[in-house]
Every structure is written in structure tokens, then in C-alpha cells.
């Protein structure tokens, strides 16, 4: 395990408050850690090759390109480390703002659902899969033969190979992405796949939103605004349905899903 990965696994409380990330980097003799950011007293997050342009609020840092990286929403935290930062970077580069926000919200919904129920889950695997799960809806990765979730699974396998993940873990990332468009998975059978189903369903069509406190929903949408997501996402699915009539997206479009997505409670506030 590298020093950067090790620091990403440490507890977030680095008291005393006078501790500075550059001092910490020098102590651990890893120059990459000089890119750690102290976003509030005692809290650090390594951001890899991203360029820091400044803090914008207690729990935000602004990255190159102007987008914000949120560390926490209503007590639910994002994981830190090389894999999660790489997934975030790829999603930021290829997805538009609305789709990027949807991917992050899907993670937060799923993680909150698990934490409320006391479920243990692989936070890194879930976050990476959530950030990649819809990238096959974007032109560079859109397959004309495979459903978008199957193409997205292949994308995840290639992406995680670059991270050095073993074959079984790469297969798991692909499995999560494929299964988010399939019938519900029991959490006791596959908790991470269930979390991606929960997160995407809540954010897209509003299914299961009653499981989340209104304060959490409001904080999440404030942190990652909708930006007309429902309309643009329905358009993406309609395009998939027209070109690949046998895919799961086509079944949803034919079954009244667009109306449910456009009437999501998250867009009514």
C-alpha cells in the first residue's frame, strides 16, 4: 500500500489544529501529499493530480475547471484515495454537469440508505461504480450494439484495470453497473449492487425517496443541484430506446417511466 493510499484510510481527525498538510507530507516523505487540502480544522483529503484553486466553503474545494468537490453532505462522507479521485476526474471530464451531479447524488443516496440501516459496504467500490455507471450514455462511450449499462460495465473493467484492481474486483464494478438496470437485488445478497439501485432510483424517478429525511434530500440537492437533469436524462434514454429497442432503457421508456422521472419530487422544491 502506498503512503497516499494509507493516508486516505486514516481517520479524519488530525488534531491538533495546527497540523498542516505540507508538514505531514514532509514527515511521510511523499511529495504527492503536498496536494492534500485542509478543508476544515483537522480534516484532509488527498486530491492527486487535481489542481486546487481555493476553498469556497467549509466542506468544498474548487478544482481545475471550476467544479466543486464536496467532502460531506449531512454527515455522509465520500471516500478518499487514488481510485475514487480518478473516478471523479473521469466523470467530471466526460459527463456534463447534470449527469455528473446525478452520479454523485446516486452515491450519497445509496451510502445514506446503508448507513441508516447499519449496513457494511465497500465504500470505494460503490463510489467508483456510481461515478462511472452512466458514462456509456455519453458520446465517446455510447455503444451502438450493447445496452448502456453493459457498455458501462466494460468501461469500468478497463478503468479499474488501470488502477491495478484484481480481476474479481474489476468484475464487481462491472456487475454493479449492469445490475443497476435489472430487478432489485437483496442487500444481504449483494449490498453494493443494491445501493446503486437505491441511489439511482431515488435520484432519477423518486422511487424510495420516503426513506430519506427531507433535510437530507434538501442538503443533497443544494450541494449538487439538479440542473434540468430529469429532462436531459429522459432524452438520453429515449435515444437509447430508439437505437436499441431491446434494451432495458427501451422497456422503461415504453412503460411510462419518463412521466415518473419528470415528476420526481426532487424537482418540485
Amino acid at each position: 500500500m502506498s503512503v497516499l493510499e494509507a493516508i486516505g484510510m486514516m481517520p479524519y481527525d488530525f488534531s491538533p489544529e495546527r497540523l498542516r498538510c505540507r508538514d505531514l507530507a514532509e514527515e511521510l516523505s511523499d511529495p504527492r501529499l503536498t496536494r492534500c487540502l485542509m478543508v476544515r480544522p483537522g480534516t484532509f483529503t488527498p486530491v492527486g493530480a487535481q489542481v486546487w484553486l481555493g476553498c469556497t466553503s467549509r466542506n468544498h474545494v474548487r478544482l481545475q475547471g471550476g467544479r466543486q468537490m464536496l467532502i460531506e453532505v449531512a454527515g455522509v462522507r465520500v471516500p478518499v484515495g487514488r481510485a475514487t479521485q480518478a473516478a471523479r476526474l473521469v466523470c467530471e471530464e466526460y459527463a456534463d454537469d447534470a449527469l455528473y451531479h446525478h452520479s454523485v447524488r446516486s452515491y450519497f443516496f445509496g451510502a445514506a440508505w446503508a448507513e441508516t440501516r447499519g449496513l457494511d459496504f465497500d465504500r470505494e467500490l460503490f463510489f467508483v461504480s456510481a461515478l462511472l455507471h452512466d458514462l456509456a450514455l455519453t458520446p465517446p462511450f455510447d455503444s451502438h450494439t450493447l445496452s448502456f449499462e453493459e457498455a458501462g460495465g466494460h468501461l469500468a473493467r478497463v478503468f479499474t484495470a488501470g488502477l491495478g484492481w484484481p480481476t474479481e474486483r474489476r468484475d464487481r464494478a462491472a456487475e454493479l453497473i449492469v445490475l443497476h438496470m435489472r430487478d432489485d437485488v437483496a442487500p444481504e445478497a449483494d449490498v453494493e449492487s443494491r445501493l446503486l439501485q437505491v441511489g439511482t432510483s431515488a435520484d432519477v424517478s423518486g422511487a424510495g425517496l420516503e426513506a430519506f429525511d427531507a433535510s437530507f434530500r434538501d442538503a443533497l440537492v443544494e450541494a449538487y443541484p439538479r440542473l434540468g437533469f430529469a429532462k436531459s436524462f429522459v432524452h438520453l434514454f429515449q435515444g437509447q430506446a430508439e437505437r436499441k429497442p431491446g434494451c432495458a432503457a427501451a422497456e422503461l421508456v415504453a412503460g411510462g417511466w419518463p412521466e415518473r422521472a419528470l415528476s420526481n419530487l426532487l424537482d418540485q422544491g
Side-chain angles (χ1 to χ4, degrees), residues 79-247:
V80 296
R82 176 171 171 259
T84 57
Q85 296 300 339
R88 189 198 309 273
L89 176 62
V90 168
C91 188
E92 288 175 342
E93 288 185 346
Y94 286 96
D96 63 20
D97 286 348
L99 193 62
Y100 168 65
H101 283 196
H102 158 66
S103 301
V104 179
R105 287 193 307 266
S106 295
Y107 164 79
F108 276 110
F109 272 125
W113 192 86
E115 291 177 8
T116 299
R117 287 157 182 76
L119 299 175
D120 291 327
F121 65 100
D122 187 327
R123 197 173 291 264
E124 178 188 68
L125 172 66
F126 176 44
F127 183 87
V128 168
S129 301
L131 269 289
L132 301 180
H133 83 276
D134 276 341
L135 287 188
L137 290 171
T138 66
F141 303 115
D142 187 5
S143 171
H144 289 274
T145 56
L146 297 176
S147 65
F148 85 91
E149 68 273 16
E150 291 171 347
H154 287 291
L155 186 158
R157 294 193 83 256
V158 172
F159 173 85
T160 53
L163 293 172
W165 284 15
T167 299
E168 289 145 1
R169 190 164 178 78
R170 292 167 56 211
D171 288 344
R172 281 290 291 137
E175 183 177 34
L176 264 66
I177 291 172
V178 171
L179 290 181
H180 96 274
M181 289 294 292
R182 301 294 184 263
D183 292 337
D184 287 352
V185 176
E188 58 270 21
D190 182 350
V191 64
E192 291 83 16
S193 290
R194 181 58 183 150
L195 297 187
L196 190 55
Q197 291 178 335
V198 167
T200 55
S201 295
D203 197 62
V204 172
S205 64
L209 278 179
E210 65 279 359
F212 303 93
D213 291 340
S215 59
F216 172 78
R217 301 195 305 258
D218 292 345
L220 183 54
V221 172
E222 180 181 2
Y224 288 97
R226 301 284 286 176
L227 304 176
F229 166 71
K231 184 176 180 180
S232 62
F233 198 68
V234 166
H235 178 72
L236 288 172
F237 263 44
Q238 289 171 335
Q240 295 286 311
E242 290 172 5
R243 291 185 287 109
K244 294 173 270 190
C247 70

